[in-house]
Amino acid sequence: MSLNRRALLASGLALAGLAACSKGASSSQDIVVSFSDLSQPFFVAMRRDLEDEAQKLGVKVQVLDGQNNSSKQVSDLDAASVQGVGAVIIAPTDSKALASATDKLADDGVIVVSVDRHIENAKHPVPHFGADNVAGGRAMAEWVVKTYPKGAKVVVITNDPGSSSSIERVKGVHEGFATGGSAYVIVAEQTANSKRDQALTVTQNILTSMGGQHPDVILCLNDDMAMGALEAIHGAGFTPQQIRVLGFDAIPEALKRIQAGDMAATVEQNPGEQIRTALRQVVGALRDKKAIASQSLTPVLITRDNLNQASRISEVK
């Protein structure tokens, strides 16, 4: 079956699922949550916090997986609009591709907020709950400048193209190196689509292309890609000290690698606080007509020196 046919089938199943759940019983209190890609550890953790907070608040949420496909997310949101739900929380695959779908929801009186990634170019501005990704990217570059005061060769492996998180993190990285000066050279900048296996391949290809030379640092704009980069570095015969790896998300696996000295740092953006705050505000708006106010969280660069500041450090075994 082709990729497009699979995406259409998945969208049809999502539509049918929404219909089955709400036919004859749709409510202005129903909440749909659409994550861009539930194969990513970051969103798996966010879903767990969402469901825990929903239980505390006494509300039910329906979780949908966008499967990293904007067309599927649009179809899912269209289905939610048809079924008359009260609110939608969305982590968009592409920040611009979903603007028309969120506008349609807003036109129908549905509350819409975003988490992790912004919705851009919407007629109805969408309140957002997430970390300051520009600041997070800048913190990564500043660590490199501080650690390599004479300059460094850097590889940047970006996450999902078109997402505000990727665009903003890259912007922050470039701003940080611009402050450091011309001694900091980005020798390669490629996407691995937030996937570990793709980051493994991208890193292998970059190391091969450098002909025995190696970068000083690899900045991976999510932690799952950092795991792939570490595997490629080991496979090529380099040590984690020869090529330092930084990630983004502070997942337990990355924290464990930092603790062991295999990975230099990661950026904590607290996905649990993002989704819990978004859900609380949505429920307040549904129940008590409270106004929704966006919230930006300040990211923290996590190293071996401040591991206790990572929100998921208790999960490290």
Side-chain angles (χ1 to χ4, degrees), residues 12-26:
L13 289 173
L15 177 60
L18 276 169
C21 289
S22 57
K23 187 179 291 184
S26 61

Side-chain angles (χ1 to χ4, degrees), residues 35-267:
F35 291 113
S36 63
D37 187 357
L38 280 171
S39 72
Q40 295 184 26
F42 176 84
F43 290 115
V44 172
M46 187 177 272
R47 176 180 184 167
R48 187 166 61 243
D49 282 292
L50 165 74
E51 292 173 342
D52 180 69
E53 190 67 25
Q55 186 174 26
K56 290 178 180 178
L57 294 172
V59 297
K60 292 183 178 180
V61 294
Q62 182 177 5
V63 176
L64 302 176
D65 183 2
Q67 298 175 3
N68 204 31
N69 185 317
S70 292
S71 295
K72 183 181 186 303
Q73 274 198 304
V74 168
S75 296
D76 288 347
L77 296 187
D78 286 345
S81 179
V82 168
Q83 298 306 321
V85 301
V88 169
I89 301 173
I90 182 166
T93 297
D94 186 298
S95 298
K96 297 179 180 178
L98 277 80
S100 60
T102 60
D103 280 337
K104 185 176 186 301
L105 287 165
D107 286 338
D108 291 340
V110 179
I111 295 168
V112 184
V113 304
S114 63
V115 291
D116 184 53
R117 303 163 178 188
H118 297 274
I119 297 290
E120 297 181 8
N121 299 336
K123 177 178 65 177
H124 300 283
V126 177
H128 178 69
F129 300 87
D132 184 337
N133 282 298
V134 175
R138 191 184 301 119
M140 298 172 86
E142 289 171 349
W143 180 92
V144 177
V145 172
K146 181 179 179 181
T147 305
Y148 297 86
K150 295 182 179 180
K153 298 189 294 292
V154 182
V155 168
V156 180
I157 301 181
T158 65
N159 50 320
D160 303 311
S163 69
S164 63
S165 63
S166 183
I167 294 166
E168 291 166 0
R169 290 172 196 176
V170 169
K171 178 182 178 183
V173 166
H174 283 269
E175 286 181 357
F177 285 133
T179 301
S182 60
Y184 300 92
V185 180
I186 296 177
V187 296
E189 182 174 311
Q190 297 181 33
T191 187
N193 297 297
S194 292
K195 302 296 185 183
R196 182 181 307 216
D197 59 340
Q198 293 187 36
L200 167 62
T201 301
V202 166
T203 306
Q204 287 172 331
N205 291 341
I206 290 172
L207 294 178
T208 299
S209 72
M210 294 184 72
Q213 305 266 329
H214 64 82
D216 299 296
V217 182
I218 299 179
L219 303 183
C220 297
L221 301 190
N222 86 349
D223 280 338
D224 213 31
M225 296 189 302
M227 299 304 108
L230 286 169
E231 185 177 346
I233 289 167
H234 177 75
F238 296 109
T239 70
Q241 287 67 46
Q242 289 175 298
I243 306 176
R244 310 299 293 276
V245 174
L246 282 73
F248 207 113
D249 289 342
I251 65 173
E253 188 176 3
L255 299 176
K256 187 174 182 178
R257 293 294 193 106
I258 292 170
Q259 191 176 60
D262 296 331
M263 187 170 159
T266 184
V267 178

